Amino acid sequence: MRILGIDPGLGRVGFGLLDIVPLGDPVQGFQPEGYGPCQWGVITTSKDKPDGARLQEIHDDLTCLMEQVKPDVVAIERLFYFRNATTMVPVAQARGVILMIVHRFGVPFYEYTPMQVKQAITGYGKSEKAEIQNALIDLLNLEKKPTPDDAADGLALAVCHYNHVGRLQAYQAAPVS
């Protein structure tokens, strides 16, 4: 299973790609799974460009990313109440472009709130960014901290999805004894 986590934004769209790989030998037709290779990065747009051009850039770059990595599923951050409405609108616009692209590729997507992601990664729904990054190092056996924050958030979304849905799907596929 290949999971693409996406943290939407107009200035930076963070993404994290997580492969889930079989571990060990099959037991009665079932292979347990575990975290495999991962990648992360950001799609950046310039504040000097008009919003329409920035949204087009997100569209084009995410389309290329989807073609290259061919995810099986996408986990995207769900919008929640922002204190600043002027920040919410551009993020919502970018998120709309992202959802359109994911739909166009026919890839199923799941949404998670920031609190759900933090709970899945650290066990505490109000964790700080540094705590998330350190937990990702431990969980995924990374050599370095995933940065910038937007990319770490994308990777955390991918891990969150696997913890919520991926493991359940693996166990549902296991034969009943």
Side-chain angles (χ1 to χ4, degrees):
M1 176 189 316
R2 179 168 266 198
I3 306 166
L4 179 63
I6 301 177
D7 179 32
L10 183 60
R12 289 196 303 204
V13 175
F15 65 87
L17 182 68
L18 178 64
D19 284 320
I20 304 301
V21 296
L23 298 175
D25 297 324
V27 177
Q28 297 178 355
F30 174 68
Q31 285 186 313
E33 296 178 314
Y35 301 120
C38 58
Q39 305 169 38
W40 60 86
V42 291
I43 296 169
T44 58
T45 66
S46 171
K47 292 179 184 179
D48 298 335
K49 293 182 179 179
D51 287 356
R54 295 171 82 181
L55 293 169
Q56 182 67 53
E57 195 171 338
I58 291 168
H59 172 276
D60 296 346
D61 290 353
L62 186 58
T63 297
C64 287
L65 181 66
M66 293 284 289
E67 289 170 348
Q68 289 173 1
V69 303
K70 297 176 179 40
D72 297 308
V73 65
V74 170
I76 187 166
E77 186 174 276
R78 178 184 298 245
L79 288 182
F80 61 101
Y81 173 77
F82 281 87
R83 289 185 199 113
N84 185 347
T86 59
T87 303
M88 187 175 77
V89 171
V91 173
Q93 291 171 334
R95 191 173 180 280
V97 169
I98 293 164
L99 291 175
M100 180 190 66
I101 293 165
V102 171
H103 173 76
R104 193 178 85 221
F105 276 86
V107 176
F109 73 92
Y110 295 79
E111 300 174 85
Y112 300 97
T113 65
M115 187 173 277
Q116 287 175 304
V117 175
K118 292 173 183 180
Q119 180 72 35
I121 304 301
T122 67
Y124 179 59
K126 295 184 180 181
S127 299
E128 299 293 327
K129 297 277 188 189
E131 293 173 294
I132 299 294
Q133 290 170 319
N134 289 332
L136 287 171
I137 290 170
D138 292 340
L139 283 170
L140 301 174
N141 197 26
L142 302 176
E143 293 181 12
K144 62 181 180 176
K145 187 182 292 191
T147 58
D149 290 348
D150 307 279
D153 290 349
L155 190 54
L157 278 153
V159 172
C160 174
H161 175 73
Y162 179 64
N163 286 341
H164 276 91
V165 178
R167 290 180 195 268
L168 178 62
Q169 290 172 345
Y171 287 110
Q172 287 175 340
V176 178
S177 35

